[in-house]
Short mmCIF file of all heavy atoms in Angstrom, two decimals:
data_model
loop_
_atom_site.label_atom_id
_atom_site.label_comp_id
_atom_site.label_asym_id
_atom_site.label_seq_id
_atom_site.Cartn_x
_atom_site.Cartn_y
_atom_site.Cartn_z
N MET K 20 0.82 -1.19 -0.03
CA MET K 20 0.01 0.10 0.01
C MET K 20 0.91 1.25 -0.02
O MET K 20 0.46 2.22 -0.59
CB MET K 20 -0.95 -0.02 1.25
CG MET K 20 -2.02 0.89 1.11
SD MET K 20 -2.99 0.44 -0.36
CE MET K 20 -4.56 0.53 0.20
N GLU K 21 2.00 1.31 0.63
CA GLU K 21 2.89 2.37 0.71
C GLU K 21 3.53 2.59 -0.58
O GLU K 21 3.72 3.78 -1.01
CB GLU K 21 4.10 2.04 1.78
CG GLU K 21 4.88 3.29 2.06
CD GLU K 21 5.82 2.96 3.12
OE1 GLU K 21 5.63 2.32 4.10
OE2 GLU K 21 6.92 3.56 2.93
N LEU K 22 3.82 1.61 -1.48
CA LEU K 22 4.30 1.78 -2.86
C LEU K 22 3.30 2.49 -3.71
O LEU K 22 3.70 3.36 -4.40
CB LEU K 22 4.70 0.35 -3.28
CG LEU K 22 5.26 0.37 -4.74
CD1 LEU K 22 6.59 1.11 -4.73
CD2 LEU K 22 5.48 -1.09 -5.23
N ILE K 23 2.01 2.10 -3.61
CA ILE K 23 1.05 2.75 -4.29
C ILE K 23 0.95 4.17 -4.02
O ILE K 23 0.72 5.16 -4.82
CB ILE K 23 -0.37 2.00 -4.26
CG1 ILE K 23 -0.26 0.68 -4.78
CG2 ILE K 23 -1.46 2.80 -4.85
CD1 ILE K 23 -1.42 -0.20 -4.58
N SER K 24 0.97 4.53 -2.78
CA SER K 24 0.98 5.86 -2.31
C SER K 24 2.06 6.74 -2.77
O SER K 24 1.93 7.85 -3.28
CB SER K 24 0.90 5.90 -0.75
OG SER K 24 0.89 7.28 -0.24
N LYS K 25 3.33 6.16 -2.79
CA LYS K 25 4.58 6.81 -3.34
C LYS K 25 4.29 7.05 -4.77
O LYS K 25 4.69 8.26 -5.32
CB LYS K 25 5.75 6.03 -2.90
CG LYS K 25 6.18 6.06 -1.65
CD LYS K 25 7.54 5.34 -1.52
CE LYS K 25 7.91 5.45 0.01
NZ LYS K 25 9.21 4.75 0.28
N CYS K 26 3.90 6.15 -5.47
CA CYS K 26 3.58 6.25 -6.97
C CYS K 26 2.58 7.29 -7.29
O CYS K 26 2.68 8.07 -8.24
CB CYS K 26 3.23 4.87 -7.62
SG CYS K 26 4.56 3.77 -7.72
N ALA K 27 1.53 7.27 -6.46
CA ALA K 27 0.49 8.29 -6.73
C ALA K 27 0.99 9.67 -6.40
O ALA K 27 0.80 10.54 -7.19
CB ALA K 27 -0.72 7.97 -5.77
N SER K 28 1.86 9.81 -5.42
CA SER K 28 2.48 11.12 -5.08
C SER K 28 3.37 11.54 -6.20
O SER K 28 3.47 12.73 -6.51
CB SER K 28 3.27 11.09 -3.76
OG SER K 28 2.47 10.92 -2.71
N CYS K 29 4.19 10.55 -6.74
CA CYS K 29 5.11 10.93 -7.86
C CYS K 29 4.30 11.37 -8.99
O CYS K 29 4.73 12.35 -9.73
CB CYS K 29 5.92 9.64 -8.07
SG CYS K 29 7.13 9.94 -9.39
N VAL K 30 3.23 10.54 -9.33
CA VAL K 30 2.53 11.00 -10.53
C VAL K 30 1.84 12.31 -10.38
O VAL K 30 1.87 13.13 -11.29
CB VAL K 30 1.48 9.81 -10.85
CG1 VAL K 30 0.51 10.32 -11.92
CG2 VAL K 30 2.14 8.55 -11.39
N ALA K 31 1.30 12.52 -9.23
CA ALA K 31 0.75 13.81 -8.92
C ALA K 31 1.72 14.93 -9.00
O ALA K 31 1.39 16.13 -9.54
CB ALA K 31 0.05 13.92 -7.53
N ALA K 32 2.89 14.75 -8.53
CA ALA K 32 3.98 15.77 -8.61
C ALA K 32 4.31 16.06 -10.04
O ALA K 32 4.53 17.28 -10.44
CB ALA K 32 5.26 15.29 -7.79
N LYS K 33 4.49 14.93 -10.88
CA LYS K 33 4.78 15.19 -12.31
C LYS K 33 3.65 16.02 -13.10
O LYS K 33 3.91 16.73 -13.84
CB LYS K 33 5.08 13.83 -12.93
CG LYS K 33 6.36 13.18 -12.46
CD LYS K 33 6.85 12.14 -13.41
CE LYS K 33 8.12 11.56 -12.77
NZ LYS K 33 9.28 12.16 -13.16
N ILE K 34 2.47 15.66 -12.71
CA ILE K 34 1.34 16.32 -13.45
C ILE K 34 1.27 17.78 -13.00
O ILE K 34 1.04 18.69 -13.75
CB ILE K 34 -0.07 15.51 -13.03
CG1 ILE K 34 -0.09 14.26 -13.70
CG2 ILE K 34 -1.26 16.52 -13.45
CD1 ILE K 34 -1.27 13.40 -13.33
N THR K 35 1.48 18.08 -11.71
CA THR K 35 1.58 19.37 -11.28
C THR K 35 2.72 20.25 -11.94
O THR K 35 2.62 21.32 -12.38
CB THR K 35 1.71 19.39 -9.75
OG1 THR K 35 0.64 18.77 -9.11
CG2 THR K 35 1.66 20.86 -9.18
N ALA K 36 3.89 19.56 -11.97
CA ALA K 36 5.07 20.18 -12.70
C ALA K 36 4.73 20.39 -14.15
O ALA K 36 5.12 21.47 -14.67
CB ALA K 36 6.28 19.29 -12.48
N PHE K 37 4.01 19.51 -14.76
CA PHE K 37 3.72 19.70 -16.27
C PHE K 37 2.77 20.89 -16.40
O PHE K 37 3.01 21.75 -17.37
CB PHE K 37 3.04 18.34 -16.72
CG PHE K 37 2.55 18.51 -18.25
CD1 PHE K 37 3.40 18.42 -19.25
CD2 PHE K 37 1.24 18.80 -18.51
CE1 PHE K 37 3.07 18.55 -20.46
CE2 PHE K 37 0.80 18.98 -19.79
CZ PHE K 37 1.65 18.81 -20.73
N PHE K 38 1.83 20.97 -15.58
CA PHE K 38 0.97 22.15 -15.83
C PHE K 38 1.58 23.47 -15.23
O PHE K 38 1.00 24.61 -15.65
CB PHE K 38 -0.45 21.92 -15.01
CG PHE K 38 -1.41 20.99 -15.84
CD1 PHE K 38 -1.48 19.70 -15.38
CD2 PHE K 38 -1.81 21.35 -17.08
CE1 PHE K 38 -2.36 18.81 -16.16
CE2 PHE K 38 -2.61 20.50 -17.72
CZ PHE K 38 -2.84 19.30 -17.30
N ALA K 39 2.53 23.46 -14.42
CA ALA K 39 3.16 24.69 -13.95
C ALA K 39 4.26 25.17 -14.85
O ALA K 39 4.67 26.32 -14.72
CB ALA K 39 3.79 24.37 -12.49
N ASP K 40 4.70 24.29 -15.88
CA ASP K 40 5.71 24.67 -16.76
C ASP K 40 5.10 25.70 -17.75
O ASP K 40 4.17 25.37 -18.48
CB ASP K 40 6.26 23.50 -17.47
CG ASP K 40 7.35 23.76 -18.39
OD1 ASP K 40 7.93 24.94 -18.32
OD2 ASP K 40 7.74 22.95 -19.25
N LEU K 41 5.59 26.89 -17.69
CA LEU K 41 5.15 27.91 -18.65
C LEU K 41 6.01 28.19 -19.96
O LEU K 41 5.70 29.20 -20.60
CB LEU K 41 4.89 29.17 -17.83
CG LEU K 41 3.86 29.09 -16.76
CD1 LEU K 41 3.82 30.42 -15.88
CD2 LEU K 41 2.51 28.78 -17.23
N LYS K 42 6.96 27.47 -20.17
CA LYS K 42 7.84 27.69 -21.33
C LYS K 42 7.14 27.53 -22.60
O LYS K 42 7.27 28.32 -23.43
CB LYS K 42 8.96 26.72 -21.25
CG LYS K 42 10.05 26.86 -20.08
CD LYS K 42 11.11 25.78 -20.27
CE LYS K 42 11.83 25.77 -19.09
NZ LYS K 42 12.87 24.71 -18.99
N GLY K 43 6.30 26.64 -22.73
CA GLY K 43 5.57 26.52 -23.96
C GLY K 43 4.43 27.68 -24.22
O GLY K 43 4.31 28.08 -25.32
N VAL K 44 3.96 28.17 -23.17
CA VAL K 44 2.99 29.30 -23.24
C VAL K 44 3.69 30.47 -23.73
O VAL K 44 3.25 31.25 -24.61
CB VAL K 44 2.39 29.56 -21.87
CG1 VAL K 44 1.47 30.81 -21.84
CG2 VAL K 44 1.62 28.38 -21.42
N SER K 45 4.86 30.75 -23.29
CA SER K 45 5.49 31.86 -23.62
C SER K 45 6.09 31.85 -25.10
O SER K 45 6.06 32.84 -25.85
CB SER K 45 6.82 32.35 -22.77
OG SER K 45 7.76 31.25 -22.84
N THR K 46 6.38 30.63 -25.55
CA THR K 46 6.83 30.43 -26.89
C THR K 46 5.50 30.69 -27.88
O THR K 46 5.74 31.36 -28.90
CB THR K 46 7.21 28.93 -27.16
OG1 THR K 46 8.27 28.70 -26.26
CG2 THR K 46 7.68 28.75 -28.50
N VAL K 47 4.40 30.24 -27.43
CA VAL K 47 3.13 30.53 -28.26
C VAL K 47 2.91 32.02 -28.27
O VAL K 47 2.47 32.59 -29.27
CB VAL K 47 2.04 29.68 -27.66
CG1 VAL K 47 0.63 30.09 -28.31
CG2 VAL K 47 2.20 28.17 -27.82
N GLU K 48 3.09 32.68 -27.10
CA GLU K 48 2.79 34.09 -27.16
C GLU K 48 3.84 34.92 -28.04
O GLU K 48 3.37 35.77 -28.86
CB GLU K 48 2.95 34.63 -25.71
CG GLU K 48 1.87 34.21 -24.78
CD GLU K 48 2.12 34.53 -23.32
OE1 GLU K 48 3.24 35.05 -23.02
OE2 GLU K 48 1.22 34.45 -22.54
N TYR K 49 4.96 34.59 -28.02
CA TYR K 49 5.95 35.15 -29.01
C TYR K 49 5.60 34.88 -30.42
O TYR K 49 5.77 35.69 -31.23
CB TYR K 49 7.40 34.66 -28.67
CG TYR K 49 7.97 35.26 -27.42
CD1 TYR K 49 8.60 34.41 -26.48
CD2 TYR K 49 7.98 36.66 -27.19
CE1 TYR K 49 9.10 35.00 -25.27
CE2 TYR K 49 8.50 37.14 -26.10
CZ TYR K 49 9.07 36.28 -25.14
OH TYR K 49 9.60 36.96 -23.96
N ALA K 50 5.29 33.62 -30.80
CA ALA K 50 4.83 33.25 -32.12
C ALA K 50 3.60 34.13 -32.52
O ALA K 50 3.58 34.60 -33.67
CB ALA K 50 4.57 31.67 -32.13
N LEU K 51 2.69 34.33 -31.62
CA LEU K 51 1.45 35.05 -32.01
C LEU K 51 1.91 36.54 -32.17
O LEU K 51 1.34 37.29 -33.15
CB LEU K 51 0.35 34.98 -30.76
CG LEU K 51 -0.37 33.64 -30.81
CD1 LEU K 51 -1.24 33.53 -29.47
CD2 LEU K 51 -1.12 33.38 -32.09
N MET K 52 2.73 37.11 -31.37
CA MET K 52 3.29 38.45 -31.57
C MET K 52 3.87 38.63 -32.90
O MET K 52 3.79 39.58 -33.68
CB MET K 52 4.13 38.80 -30.37
CG MET K 52 3.46 39.15 -29.17
SD MET K 52 4.44 39.99 -28.04
CE MET K 52 5.61 38.84 -27.54
N ILE K 53 4.77 37.62 -33.29
CA ILE K 53 5.42 37.78 -34.57
C ILE K 53 4.45 37.64 -35.71
O ILE K 53 4.55 38.45 -36.73
CB ILE K 53 6.55 36.54 -34.69
CG1 ILE K 53 7.56 36.89 -33.70
CG2 ILE K 53 6.96 36.43 -36.20
CD1 ILE K 53 8.57 35.67 -33.63
N VAL K 54 3.47 36.81 -35.64
CA VAL K 54 2.33 36.76 -36.70
C VAL K 54 1.70 38.09 -36.76
O VAL K 54 1.45 38.50 -37.83
CB VAL K 54 1.45 35.56 -36.37
CG1 VAL K 54 0.19 35.65 -37.31
CG2 VAL K 54 2.15 34.26 -36.59
N ALA K 55 1.30 38.60 -35.61
CA ALA K 55 0.67 39.92 -35.63
C ALA K 55 1.42 41.08 -36.19
O ALA K 55 1.01 41.86 -36.97
CB ALA K 55 0.24 40.42 -34.15
N ILE K 56 2.76 41.04 -35.95
CA ILE K 56 3.65 42.06 -36.55
C ILE K 56 3.77 41.82 -38.09
O ILE K 56 3.86 42.85 -38.77
CB ILE K 56 5.09 42.07 -35.86
CG1 ILE K 56 4.95 42.53 -34.36
CG2 ILE K 56 6.03 42.87 -36.64
CD1 ILE K 56 6.28 42.32 -33.57
N ILE K 57 3.87 40.66 -38.46
CA ILE K 57 4.03 40.43 -39.94
C ILE K 57 2.63 40.87 -40.57
O ILE K 57 2.80 41.37 -41.70
CB ILE K 57 4.42 38.97 -40.21
CG1 ILE K 57 5.85 38.58 -39.75
CG2 ILE K 57 4.10 38.51 -41.62
CD1 ILE K 57 6.17 37.19 -39.80
N GLY K 58 1.64 40.45 -40.00
CA GLY K 58 0.35 40.93 -40.58
C GLY K 58 0.15 42.48 -40.66
O GLY K 58 -0.33 42.94 -41.67
N ALA K 59 0.60 43.11 -39.58
CA ALA K 59 0.52 44.64 -39.52
C ALA K 59 1.46 45.21 -40.60
O ALA K 59 1.04 46.23 -41.36
CB ALA K 59 1.04 45.07 -38.30
N VAL K 60 2.62 44.61 -41.00
CA VAL K 60 3.54 45.16 -41.95
C VAL K 60 2.93 44.87 -43.22
O VAL K 60 2.98 45.71 -44.23
CB VAL K 60 5.01 44.47 -41.84
CG1 VAL K 60 5.79 44.74 -43.02
CG2 VAL K 60 5.56 45.05 -40.57
N ALA K 61 2.34 43.66 -43.48
CA ALA K 61 1.65 43.34 -44.75
C ALA K 61 0.52 44.28 -45.09
O ALA K 61 0.37 44.79 -46.30
CB ALA K 61 1.30 41.82 -44.87
N LEU K 62 -0.28 44.50 -44.01
CA LEU K 62 -1.34 45.42 -44.20
C LEU K 62 -0.97 46.88 -44.51
O LEU K 62 -1.54 47.49 -45.37
CB LEU K 62 -2.17 45.44 -42.87
CG LEU K 62 -3.62 46.10 -42.95
CD1 LEU K 62 -4.51 45.36 -43.99
CD2 LEU K 62 -4.22 46.10 -41.64
N ALA K 63 0.04 47.42 -43.82
CA ALA K 63 0.58 48.70 -44.12
C ALA K 63 1.13 48.76 -45.49
O ALA K 63 1.00 49.81 -46.21
CB ALA K 63 1.60 49.01 -43.01
N ALA K 64 1.91 47.75 -45.86
CA ALA K 64 2.52 47.74 -47.33
C ALA K 64 1.37 47.69 -48.26
O ALA K 64 1.40 48.38 -49.36
CB ALA K 64 3.27 46.45 -47.46
N THR K 65 0.25 47.05 -48.09
CA THR K 65 -0.80 47.08 -49.00
C THR K 65 -1.47 48.38 -49.15
O THR K 65 -1.78 48.81 -50.28
CB THR K 65 -1.88 46.01 -48.53
OG1 THR K 65 -1.34 44.70 -48.50
CG2 THR K 65 -3.11 45.99 -49.42
N PHE K 66 -1.76 49.07 -48.07
CA PHE K 66 -2.31 50.32 -48.22
C PHE K 66 -1.43 51.47 -48.52
O PHE K 66 -1.85 52.42 -49.16
CB PHE K 66 -3.06 50.63 -46.74
CG PHE K 66 -4.23 49.83 -46.47
CD1 PHE K 66 -4.30 49.02 -45.52
CD2 PHE K 66 -5.43 50.08 -47.33
CE1 PHE K 66 -5.50 48.30 -45.25
CE2 PHE K 66 -6.61 49.30 -47.11
CZ PHE K 66 -6.59 48.38 -46.07
N LEU K 67 -0.16 51.42 -48.19
CA LEU K 67 0.81 52.47 -48.49
C LEU K 67 1.77 52.12 -49.67
O LEU K 67 2.55 53.00 -49.99
CB LEU K 67 1.67 52.80 -47.35
CG LEU K 67 0.87 53.13 -45.94
CD1 LEU K 67 1.85 53.34 -44.75
CD2 LEU K 67 0.26 54.43 -46.13
N GLY K 68 1.43 51.10 -50.28
CA GLY K 68 2.31 50.66 -51.43
C GLY K 68 2.39 51.61 -52.54
O GLY K 68 3.46 51.98 -53.00
N ASP K 69 1.20 52.20 -52.90
CA ASP K 69 1.20 53.13 -54.13
C ASP K 69 1.88 54.48 -53.65
O ASP K 69 2.62 55.02 -54.53
CB ASP K 69 -0.27 53.46 -54.47
CG ASP K 69 -1.01 52.16 -55.04
OD1 ASP K 69 -0.22 51.39 -55.66
OD2 ASP K 69 -2.18 52.14 -55.00
N ALA K 70 1.68 54.82 -52.44
CA ALA K 70 2.30 56.10 -51.95
C ALA K 70 3.89 55.98 -51.99
O ALA K 70 4.56 56.76 -52.40
CB ALA K 70 1.83 56.46 -50.56
N PHE K 71 4.35 54.80 -51.49
CA PHE K 71 5.76 54.58 -51.49
C PHE K 71 6.33 54.48 -52.91
O PHE K 71 7.41 54.93 -53.14
CB PHE K 71 6.09 53.25 -50.67
CG PHE K 71 6.17 53.56 -49.29
CD1 PHE K 71 5.22 52.91 -48.31
CD2 PHE K 71 7.09 54.52 -48.59
CE1 PHE K 71 5.37 53.17 -46.95
CE2 PHE K 71 7.11 54.81 -47.26
CZ PHE K 71 6.14 54.10 -46.51
N GLU K 72 5.60 53.84 -53.74
CA GLU K 72 5.98 53.65 -55.18
C GLU K 72 6.16 55.04 -55.78
O GLU K 72 7.16 55.33 -56.48
CB GLU K 72 4.99 52.91 -55.94
CG GLU K 72 5.42 52.64 -57.41
CD GLU K 72 4.28 51.89 -58.20
OE1 GLU K 72 3.35 51.48 -57.66
OE2 GLU K 72 4.63 51.63 -59.39
N GLY K 73 5.26 55.92 -55.59
CA GLY K 73 5.28 57.31 -56.16
C GLY K 73 6.52 58.01 -55.53
O GLY K 73 7.24 58.79 -56.31
N LEU K 74 6.67 57.82 -54.19
CA LEU K 74 7.81 58.55 -53.55
C LEU K 74 9.08 58.13 -54.06
O LEU K 74 10.05 58.86 -54.51
CB LEU K 74 7.78 58.28 -52.07
CG LEU K 74 8.97 58.81 -51.18
CD1 LEU K 74 8.83 60.29 -51.12
CD2 LEU K 74 8.84 58.09 -49.78
N PHE K 75 9.37 56.71 -54.29
CA PHE K 75 10.59 56.33 -54.74
C PHE K 75 10.78 56.62 -56.18
O PHE K 75 12.01 56.78 -56.67
CB PHE K 75 10.69 54.76 -54.48
CG PHE K 75 10.97 54.42 -53.07
CD1 PHE K 75 10.07 53.68 -52.20
CD2 PHE K 75 12.11 54.96 -52.47
CE1 PHE K 75 10.28 53.40 -51.06
CE2 PHE K 75 12.43 54.56 -51.09
CZ PHE K 75 11.55 53.82 -50.43
N LYS K 76 9.63 56.68 -56.93
CA LYS K 76 9.78 57.10 -58.31
C LYS K 76 10.27 58.56 -58.45
O LYS K 76 11.16 58.84 -59.29
CB LYS K 76 8.48 56.92 -59.10
CG LYS K 76 8.55 57.13 -60.61
CD LYS K 76 7.20 56.97 -61.31
CE LYS K 76 7.09 55.39 -61.56
NZ LYS K 76 5.84 55.18 -62.31
N ASP K 77 9.70 59.35 -57.69
CA ASP K 77 10.07 60.79 -57.69
C ASP K 77 11.55 60.98 -57.24
O ASP K 77 12.27 61.70 -57.81
CB ASP K 77 9.21 61.70 -56.72
CG ASP K 77 7.69 61.77 -57.26
OD1 ASP K 77 7.52 61.42 -58.54
OD2 ASP K 77 6.94 62.11 -56.52
N LEU K 78 11.94 60.20 -56.24
CA LEU K 78 13.33 60.28 -55.68
C LEU K 78 14.18 59.87 -56.74
O LEU K 78 15.30 60.38 -56.98
CB LEU K 78 13.34 59.39 -54.45
CG LEU K 78 14.75 59.31 -53.73
CD1 LEU K 78 15.07 60.84 -53.33
CD2 LEU K 78 14.73 58.40 -52.53
N SER K 79 13.96 58.68 -57.53
CA SER K 79 14.77 58.24 -58.49
C SER K 79 14.90 59.31 -59.70
O SER K 79 16.12 59.48 -60.13
CB SER K 79 14.19 56.92 -59.09
OG SER K 79 14.89 56.51 -60.23
N GLU K 80 13.89 59.88 -60.03
CA GLU K 80 13.87 60.94 -61.11
C GLU K 80 14.80 62.04 -60.69
O GLU K 80 15.72 62.58 -61.45
CB GLU K 80 12.57 61.41 -61.43
CG GLU K 80 11.71 60.35 -62.16
CD GLU K 80 10.30 60.82 -62.34
OE1 GLU K 80 9.86 62.00 -61.85
OE2 GLU K 80 9.52 60.01 -62.86
N GLU K 81 14.73 62.51 -59.42
CA GLU K 81 15.52 63.65 -58.85
C GLU K 81 16.90 63.27 -58.88
O GLU K 81 17.84 64.09 -59.20
CB GLU K 81 14.92 64.13 -57.56
CG GLU K 81 13.52 64.82 -57.63
CD GLU K 81 13.59 66.04 -58.36
OE1 GLU K 81 14.57 66.81 -58.33
OE2 GLU K 81 12.59 66.25 -59.06
N MET K 82 17.22 62.14 -58.42
CA MET K 82 18.60 61.62 -58.39
C MET K 82 19.21 61.58 -59.74
O MET K 82 20.37 61.94 -60.02
CB MET K 82 18.72 60.32 -57.59
CG MET K 82 18.51 60.32 -56.14
SD MET K 82 18.45 58.76 -55.36
CE MET K 82 20.12 58.26 -55.51
N THR K 83 18.47 60.97 -60.71
CA THR K 83 18.93 60.93 -62.11
C THR K 83 19.25 62.41 -62.65
O THR K 83 20.27 62.60 -63.38
CB THR K 83 17.92 60.25 -63.04
OG1 THR K 83 17.69 59.00 -62.43
CG2 THR K 83 18.38 60.10 -64.36
N LYS K 84 18.35 63.29 -62.42
CA LYS K 84 18.55 64.75 -62.82
C LYS K 84 19.80 65.26 -62.23
O LYS K 84 20.61 65.90 -62.83
CB LYS K 84 17.28 65.60 -62.45
CG LYS K 84 16.08 65.23 -63.22
CD LYS K 84 14.97 66.16 -62.78
CE LYS K 84 13.72 65.84 -63.45
NZ LYS K 84 12.50 66.61 -62.91
N GLY K 85 19.98 65.04 -60.85
CA GLY K 85 21.13 65.57 -60.15
C GLY K 85 22.44 65.03 -60.74
O GLY K 85 23.42 65.65 -60.94
N VAL K 86 22.37 63.67 -61.04
CA VAL K 86 23.63 63.09 -61.51
C VAL K 86 23.89 63.57 -62.92
O VAL K 86 25.18 63.84 -63.24
CB VAL K 86 23.46 61.54 -61.53
CG1 VAL K 86 24.58 60.93 -62.35
CG2 VAL K 86 23.41 60.89 -60.16
N SER K 87 22.93 63.75 -63.69
CA SER K 87 23.26 64.24 -65.14
C SER K 87 23.68 65.74 -65.05
O SER K 87 24.54 66.18 -65.71
CB SER K 87 22.00 64.20 -65.97
OG SER K 87 20.94 65.04 -65.49
N LYS K 88 23.16 66.51 -64.06
CA LYS K 88 23.65 68.02 -63.85
C LYS K 88 25.09 67.93 -63.51
O LYS K 88 25.89 68.65 -63.90
CB LYS K 88 22.70 68.73 -62.92
CG LYS K 88 21.53 69.13 -63.31
CD LYS K 88 20.84 69.89 -62.24
CE LYS K 88 19.39 70.40 -62.77
NZ LYS K 88 18.72 71.03 -61.77
N VAL K 89 25.42 67.06 -62.55
CA VAL K 89 26.91 66.94 -62.04
C VAL K 89 27.82 66.51 -63.19
O VAL K 89 28.83 67.03 -63.48
CB VAL K 89 26.98 66.03 -60.82
CG1 VAL K 89 28.45 65.80 -60.56
CG2 VAL K 89 26.25 66.70 -59.73
N ALA K 90 27.31 65.52 -63.96
CA ALA K 90 28.13 65.00 -65.23
C ALA K 90 28.27 66.17 -66.17
O ALA K 90 29.43 66.18 -66.76
CB ALA K 90 27.53 63.79 -65.72
N THR K 91 27.24 66.94 -66.39
CA THR K 91 27.40 67.98 -67.38
C THR K 91 28.31 69.06 -66.91
O THR K 91 29.11 69.50 -67.61
CB THR K 91 26.01 68.66 -67.64
OG1 THR K 91 25.06 67.56 -68.15
CG2 THR K 91 26.01 69.62 -68.77
N ALA K 92 28.28 69.42 -65.63
CA ALA K 92 29.19 70.43 -65.00
C ALA K 92 30.55 69.93 -65.04
O ALA K 92 31.48 70.77 -65.20
CB ALA K 92 28.75 70.72 -63.71
N VAL K 93 30.87 68.57 -64.79
CA VAL K 93 32.34 68.12 -64.75
C VAL K 93 32.84 68.05 -66.22
O VAL K 93 34.01 68.29 -66.26
CB VAL K 93 32.28 66.80 -64.06
CG1 VAL K 93 33.52 66.01 -64.15
CG2 VAL K 93 31.84 66.89 -62.63
N THR K 94 32.12 67.77 -67.08
CA THR K 94 32.73 67.69 -68.51
C THR K 94 32.62 68.88 -69.25
O THR K 94 32.57 69.92 -69.18
CB THR K 94 31.85 66.72 -69.31
OG1 THR K 94 30.53 67.07 -69.42
CG2 THR K 94 32.04 65.22 -68.85
#
């Protein structure tokens, strides 16, 4: 009877330790945060994509004009 009591105590302790372990919970929380961040970036890129495209196109044109002016001045 004492052996069964010890085994029951051991099993109970292991079950308690299993449910008290929070490592897996924090991993899931970090994974959810990463998914949320990726979703927010994708959503922002979708809505702001055209604005950024215009911005970079204008910037590229201005840089090309500046380079050509410098090349003309140097030669």
Side-chain angles (χ1 to χ4, degrees):
M20 198 55 133
E21 189 176 320
L22 182 61
I23 294 174
S24 176
K25 284 183 181 180
C26 284
S28 294
C29 183
V30 169
K33 291 199 183 267
I34 290 172
T35 303
F37 175 77
F38 284 111
D40 184 15
L41 298 177
K42 290 179 190 173
V44 173
S45 61
T46 303
V47 171
E48 289 172 353
Y49 286 128
L51 289 174
M52 283 192 296
I53 290 170
V54 168
I56 290 169
I57 290 171
V60 169
L62 190 64
T65 300
F66 286 116
L67 300 175
D69 293 335
F71 280 119
E72 182 180 358
L74 174 71
F75 285 118
K76 186 179 276 187
D77 292 344
L78 182 61
S79 173
E80 290 172 3
E81 292 297 322
M82 290 175 65
T83 304
K84 288 178 188 176
V86 168
S87 64
K88 283 183 181 178
V89 170
T91 305
V93 170
T94 56

